Amino acid sequence: MAKKNTPSFSLPRFFGAVVFSLCFFLPKSVLGVKQELRFRKNGEFKILQVADMHYGDGKATSCLDVFPNQMPTCSDLNTTAFVERMIRAENPDFIVFTGDNIFGFDATDAANSLSAAFQPAIASNIPWAAVLGNHDQESTLSREGVMKHIVGLTNTLSQVNPAEAHIIDGFGNYNLEIGGIKGSQFENKSALNLYFLDSGDYSTVPAIPGYGWIKPSQQLWFQRTSAKLRRAYMRQPEAQKGPAPGLVYFHIPLPEFASFDSSNFTGVRQEGISSASVNSGFFTTMVEAGDVKAVFIGHDHLNDFCGELTGIQLCYAGGFGYHAYGKAGWSRRARVVVASLEKTEQGGWGAVKSIKTWKRLDDEHLTAVDGQVIWSKRHA
């Protein structure tokens, strides 16, 4: 299948832009902007991750890799129904779509397909966000156009790019803060930080084949944003000794996802790791920042594992969409993450004490599998 590339900065221009942008990379707090993201009164915050919907033209778009007897009635509408089932079953506080939201080659009108793909989240009135994959821009909208359309949809907290980062690669680099419970000592602090990045589509460097990667300009934005959030969390009131945990969402896996085998991950690895052919160093950047506890991606639909490397959990969601390649008999799936606050001695709520995850399968019972604690303050 032909691959379409999106223009990128040339290297000389790019590195000049990095220097120029140093003073402008400041995080944007979203507490109090649009829909406020806060922990529930029960001390939890739940995130539903949907990866690789590969939405096309709705009912007219057939399914891939299902049993022959399913084909006559299977379409994009099955993907929509699965999103709706997951929202009802989990009642998440936030929904994250991690790229390949539409399959551009089979989407006649990108705007219509995007609106249809995200309709269950829009209708739920639950705040949601999205990043781009490598197929979103292959229809009638450019990569920038796709992100601008997403940002214009109802209930989304997505951003095209940080207003403060005057020059940055890609579209859809932003962060969101999850505030502590109202009335608690963490009411005005972000107890959990979410980072979203555009991992690109395909390499535009002739000597480098394959998929795109997270560029230095994006890493610089991440570093400065993380540092700003850490400083805010560790100063009065309620100064903390360490940073609030951070979770990172993008589409294409890092090369480090290939570090695991069946002895040191939870879930399955049924295909190769389709990362960029170069390592841009973003994993090291996250380790150095010190706040990231887990990374969540899509792209490789038949992988759904979580494995820990140097203190960071690297997690696939598993393929969600029915117009995406899969495996007949291996259910489409979604990942759920729950962060839980600790109880204080005074009976209130403190910092995040643990982060758990599991997946649900699109079977008769929405079976939950592979529940695990991916981070605990006690063992940090």
Side-chain angles (χ1 to χ4, degrees):
M1 184 175 293
K3 296 178 179 179
K4 296 182 181 180
N5 291 341
T6 300
S8 182
F9 298 127
S10 67
L11 291 178
R13 177 185 170 191
F14 168 69
F15 285 111
V18 169
V19 175
F20 176 78
S21 303
L22 270 168
C23 297
F24 299 100
F25 283 8
L26 298 174
K28 179 180 179 182
S29 172
V30 298
L31 295 180
V33 178
K34 291 188 177 180
Q35 289 181 267
E36 190 175 65
L37 296 179
R38 286 196 176 276
F39 278 79
R40 298 180 186 181
K41 291 182 179 179
N42 67 355
E44 292 186 347
F45 189 85
K46 182 184 289 187
I47 302 169
L48 168 63
Q49 180 190 0
V50 175
D52 298 270
M53 288 191 291
H54 276 237
Y55 209 90
D57 282 346
K59 189 175 182 180
T61 300
S62 60
C63 295
L64 300 177
D65 297 325
V66 296
F67 290 122
N69 64 337
Q70 296 174 282
M71 284 298 295
T73 58
C74 191
S75 70
D76 279 336
L77 300 188
N78 291 63
T79 302
T80 296
F82 186 22
V83 181
E84 292 170 343
R85 291 183 77 201
M86 285 299 305
I87 291 172
R88 287 194 301 270
E90 290 289 0
N91 187 28
D93 299 291
F94 188 56
I95 306 168
V96 181
F97 297 90
T98 50
D100 283 1
N101 307 293
I102 63 172
F103 187 68
F105 289 125
D106 293 336
T108 305
D109 183 302
N112 288 343
S113 293
L114 288 162
S115 297
F118 295 121
Q119 184 55 36
I122 294 168
S124 73
N125 285 323
I126 295 169
W128 60 275
V131 294
L132 302 182
N134 53 295
H135 289 303
D136 289 290
Q137 77 290 338
E138 293 168 338
S139 179
T140 55
L141 288 174
S142 67
R143 202 165 178 81
E144 182 179 13
V146 169
M147 202 65 212
K148 285 183 174 178
H149 183 81
I150 290 172
V151 168
L153 295 174
T154 304
N155 295 328
T156 190
L157 296 179
S158 307
Q159 298 171 35
V160 175
N161 269 329
E164 300 81 1
H166 291 193
I167 299 177
I168 188 169
D169 281 271
F171 301 98
N173 303 287
Y174 54 102
N175 71 288
L176 298 174
E177 302 173 26
I178 316 302
I181 294 173
K182 270 193 175 297
S184 75
Q185 296 171 327
F186 282 74
E187 178 177 354
N188 296 315
K189 284 186 180 288
S190 176
L192 180 69
N193 295 310
L194 309 181
Y195 301 97
F196 306 87
L197 293 108
D198 181 1
S199 54
D201 48 19
Y202 304 101
S203 171
T204 56
V205 181
I208 302 175
Y211 292 109
W213 56 88
I214 295 172
K215 306 290 176 54
S217 64
Q218 298 167 280
Q219 297 188 46
L220 179 59
W221 165 78
F222 166 80
Q223 288 173 316
R224 296 184 69 85
T225 302
S226 172
K228 185 83 171 182
L229 292 168
R230 294 197 308 271
R231 286 195 297 270
Y233 192 69
M234 295 168 69
R235 73 165 69 106
Q236 295 294 344
E238 288 299 311
Q240 299 299 298
K241 295 180 180 178
L247 307 178
V248 182
Y249 290 89
F250 50 89
H251 182 71
I252 297 174
L254 304 173
E256 285 81 3
F257 273 77
S259 302
F260 308 105
D261 58 41
S262 58
S263 70
N264 58 3
F265 65 63
T266 300
V268 299
R269 175 177 172 175
Q270 300 178 114
E271 61 177 312
I273 309 300
S274 298
S275 62
S277 60
V278 294
N279 192 327
S280 70
F282 186 51
F283 181 77
T284 302
T285 296
M286 291 188 291
V287 173
E288 289 175 342
D291 62 332
V292 174
K293 307 307 177 189
V295 173
F296 301 98
I297 61 157
H299 193 54
D300 298 326
H301 307 172
L302 298 180
N303 296 336
D304 73 350
F305 65 80
C306 274
E308 182 182 340
L309 183 65
T310 322
I312 297 178
Q313 290 278 349
L314 301 179
C315 297
Y316 279 101
F320 189 100
Y322 278 87
H323 186 54
Y325 77 82
K327 185 177 177 181
W330 193 69
S331 300
R332 266 63 174 183
R333 57 204 58 214
R335 183 173 289 281
V336 179
V337 171
V338 175
S340 301
L341 301 177
E342 62 185 356
K343 274 281 192 180
T344 65
E345 294 180 359
Q346 296 76 27
W349 295 103
V352 174
K353 71 172 182 180
S354 67
I355 302 173
K356 302 174 183 177
T357 187
W358 59 87
K359 291 157 295 190
R360 282 194 184 270
L361 313 182
D362 192 19
D363 59 15
E364 182 182 356
H365 304 290
L366 281 179
T367 304
V369 298
D370 295 335
Q372 62 182 123
V373 176
I374 56 174
W375 180 78
S376 171
K377 184 179 181 182
R378 185 174 58 183
H379 298 116

